[in-house]
Amino acid sequence: RSVVVTFDDAYLDNYTNALPVLEREQVPATLYVMAGAIGDPKAYWWDLLARLFLETLELPETFTLNSPAGPKSWNLGEAVKITPAEMRAYCAWDYRDKPGPRAAIFLDVWDYIVGLEPADKRDVVAQIEAWSGQSAGPEESTLARPMTREELQNMAASDLIEIGGHTVSHPDLAQTPRERAVREIGEGREMLAEMIGEQPMSFAYPFGRRQEETEGIVKAAGFANAVTTEFGVASTAAGRYQLPRIEARNWSAAQFERLLDLAVGPAPKR
């Protein structure tokens, strides 16, 4: 049996925290990079959104967002205030779990933003920051930010690291028009090739979402395989452009080992 370790998006901590461990243990890994984010000093928009909605004790009651998708308004109602205990629970909440009132609004705003063009995403997040009275603090410029070009190049220089494509701006490919999907996937690959000096051959679908035609677009762009976010063990039965993965969430080593035992069976004893 073989194991493939993967990381999505190119967070800085993949370079500062994960790479030293991979090199110490001599474990190869694939890093799927959102090409357009490299060098951005701010955190990814979905992390900023989570901090503003799920880690803020009190927010104004109503707000309206404007974008090319049209204006949309929300009323927080009972979700205006959350307790410190509720905030701690939201910090541990997973989007696949049943949302509380504040998380339900967060998900609705997330859906409103995800289909926008990159510049429009930034504008809408800025609107939310202004409404909330919050802004990106120093913590969004540390481990939560994307890598710089130099950091990506240093990581790519490791013999253990493969760089994979992850589009230019991380759109939801399940609702992206074909012309934009072709641009996002193809230009993302070319941008990475220019940065690291070789063409990426592996691809990861942003958010794991795609349409029936997306696999063909990925293949036509020159990628040899693609991974999803669907739970499972890769086998010859899985299509080369539909490879499942097992997500490592915020678990202890013992919890993760139990999950792997259930998925692939216990590791052989040494």
Side-chain angles (χ1 to χ4, degrees), residues 45 49 53 63 65 72-74 76 102-116 124-125 128 131:
W45 68 264
L49 197 68
F53 279 96
F63 66 102
L65 298 177
K72 186 169 182 178
S73 300
W74 287 264
L76 272 66
R102 186 76 75 82
I105 293 171
F106 161 78
L107 289 175
D108 199 32
V109 175
W110 190 97
D111 282 335
Y112 177 81
I113 293 175
V114 71
L116 300 176
V124 169
V125 171
I128 296 171
W131 159 76

Side-chain angles (χ1 to χ4, degrees), residues 120-259:
D120 298 320
K121 286 188 174 83
R122 289 192 292 270
D123 179 65
V124 169
V125 171
Q127 292 176 48
I128 296 171
E129 288 180 324
W131 159 76
S132 69
Q134 307 290 320
S135 61
E139 66 275 14
E140 275 76 43
S141 297
T142 56
L143 298 184
R145 69 162 171 82
M147 294 179 199
T148 63
R149 182 186 180 100
E150 182 180 6
E151 289 159 351
L152 176 65
Q153 290 172 336
N154 288 342
M155 191 158 185
S158 170
D159 291 338
L160 294 170
I161 300 299
E162 175 196 15
I163 301 299
H166 204 38
T167 72
V168 175
S169 70
H170 210 282
D172 177 0
L173 293 174
Q175 55 176 293
T176 301
R178 178 181 176 83
E179 182 178 350
R180 183 184 170 196
V182 169
R183 186 174 73 248
E184 283 276 352
I185 295 167
E187 290 184 6
R189 187 170 189 253
E190 294 304 317
M191 289 171 68
L192 290 177
E194 189 276 327
M195 283 187 263
I196 66 173
E198 61 182 10
Q199 293 280 358
M201 298 306 295
S202 300
F203 182 82
Y205 301 103
F207 309 113
R209 300 185 182 184
R210 62 198 186 280
Q211 303 176 48
E212 186 174 340
E213 66 178 359
T214 310
E215 294 175 25
I217 297 173
V218 171
K219 184 177 182 179
F223 290 104
N225 61 75
V227 297
T228 70
T229 57
E230 293 156 16
F231 181 90
V233 177
S235 69
T236 54
R240 187 182 296 178
Y241 295 89
Q242 302 176 31
L243 297 172
R245 292 188 285 177
I246 298 174
E247 181 182 1
R249 294 165 66 181
N250 191 23
W251 296 314
S252 68
Q255 288 173 310
F256 188 50
E257 185 174 16
R258 284 196 295 271
L259 176 66

Side-chain angles (χ1 to χ4, degrees), residues 3 12 15 30 52 54 65 78 85 145 194-195 200 230 234 264 269-270:
V3 173
L12 173 60
Y15 175 60
T30 300
L52 293 170
L54 306 181
L65 298 177
E78 63 176 323
R145 69 162 171 82
E194 189 276 327
M195 283 187 263
E230 293 156 16
V264 301
K269 293 183 179 181
R270 295 180 179 178

